[in-house]
Amino acid sequence: MIQEYLDLLDIKYRRRVFDPFVIIWAFLSQVLDPDKTCHNAVSRIISWLASENVELPSQDTGGYCQARKRLPEKLFALLFSSVADSLEKKVTDLQLWCGRHIKVIDGSTASMPDTPENQEIYPQPSSQKPGCGFPIAKLGVLFSLVTGAAVAVVFDKLNVHDLQLARRLYEFLNPGDVLVGDRAFCSYVDFIFIKNHGSSVLSMLITLENIFKCSISKSFENYVKLLVY
């Protein structure tokens, strides 16, 4: 699969230690590891090479960082979509809820390297003093409850509302899907749009009272208000 996308994007490379296959593996492990330093990623590569009885590279991280930078974002976007699609194809009817796929939508943020380009596109909060923070991006993510894989992700500035990000994710819903989100995604306009698309919505209410109440525990007078459309 990786080679297929390398050919599609016409990415040329030499068979060296830091080829695209090794870089992708090391980069993913770097993201997932609690120690996300490049030094740790290079050490992992060296440990693997040592087990293969081949010549070991330097522990300097420069070569790894340069090789990682040469890989275009488009390659990772293609791999991202391909992995999600392949996992969805393995889902059986027994894993579905009433024969329907459950898709969960949520928002988050991510800090970014403090470069002039990032500061311009993803400015830090206005309450933050200049030079004392990092650019922050707002993320909207749609993922499958069955596979746990992210289906789609969008980025924007920090002050963009979650609903604006969500509307860029609706195109990834399939007819029959059930979309689940918190109260940040409670909008009747969006509910109608999603319903007309052939999907359904389960969302927490913002202000309406007594539509639907579900007791969490008999010993506590707490209720969750849900809207099913």
Side-chain angles (χ1 to χ4, degrees):
M1 180 173 63
I2 295 178
Q3 185 61 59
E4 176 185 346
Y5 291 134
L6 290 173
D7 294 338
L8 178 65
L9 298 175
D10 195 28
I11 298 176
K12 307 298 183 183
Y13 63 94
R14 296 178 182 179
R15 283 292 184 180
R16 294 181 175 177
V17 173
F18 297 128
D19 65 23
F21 302 93
V22 173
I23 292 300
I24 291 173
W25 168 73
F27 189 23
L28 288 175
S29 66
Q30 180 181 359
V31 172
L32 296 173
D33 197 293
D35 183 354
K36 302 183 186 302
T37 62
C38 291
H39 176 76
N40 188 49
V42 172
S43 297
R44 183 176 290 106
I45 294 174
I46 292 175
S47 297
W48 167 65
L49 292 175
S51 67
E52 297 294 318
N53 296 318
V54 298
E55 183 179 354
L56 303 182
S58 167
Q59 293 186 350
D60 183 75
T61 61
Y64 166 74
C65 293
Q66 292 174 16
R68 193 182 67 178
K69 189 176 181 179
R70 284 194 293 268
L71 295 180
E73 291 184 15
K74 182 63 176 178
L75 174 61
F76 291 97
L78 289 171
L79 292 172
F80 172 88
S81 299
S82 181
V83 170
D85 290 342
S86 63
L87 289 174
E88 283 288 323
K89 291 177 181 178
K90 296 179 181 179
V91 174
T92 65
D93 290 340
L94 293 176
Q95 296 173 297
L96 302 179
W97 178 75
C98 298
R100 307 180 72 176
H101 286 268
I102 307 296
K103 301 291 177 57
V104 181
I105 191 169
D106 204 356
S108 187
T109 58
S111 61
M112 313 181 75
D114 191 12
T115 65
E117 294 80 10
N118 285 340
Q119 284 283 7
E120 181 178 357
I121 301 174
Y122 305 103
Q124 58 195 62
S126 57
S127 59
Q128 183 75 59
K129 293 183 179 180
C132 295
F134 290 88
I136 299 179
K138 187 78 167 285
L139 287 72
V141 183
L142 182 72
F143 63 91
S144 168
L145 190 63
V146 176
T147 67
V151 176
V153 59
V154 293
F155 301 85
D156 215 314
K157 298 179 177 64
L158 180 63
N159 60 357
V160 172
H161 194 277
D162 289 344
L163 271 176
Q164 291 179 261
L165 295 176
R167 289 164 185 164
R168 293 160 55 187
L169 293 169
Y170 295 156
E171 64 178 283
F172 298 99
L173 291 173
N174 298 313
D177 285 351
V178 178
L179 181 65
V180 179
D182 60 24
R183 59 172 49 89
F185 303 97
C186 184
S187 163
Y188 283 99
V189 173
D190 291 69
F191 292 165
I192 295 298
F193 178 85
I194 294 170
K195 183 178 180 181
N196 290 339
H197 185 71
S199 302
S200 302
V201 187
L202 174 62
S203 175
M204 295 186 69
L205 292 174
I206 300 176
T207 57
L208 296 183
E209 297 291 336
N210 301 321
I211 299 295
F212 180 78
K213 289 188 176 182
C214 166
S215 177
I216 297 176
S217 172
K218 294 182 179 179
S219 59
F220 296 93
E221 295 181 355
N222 295 325
Y223 296 92
V224 175
K225 304 179 188 66
L226 301 175
L227 178 63
V228 183
Y229 207 97

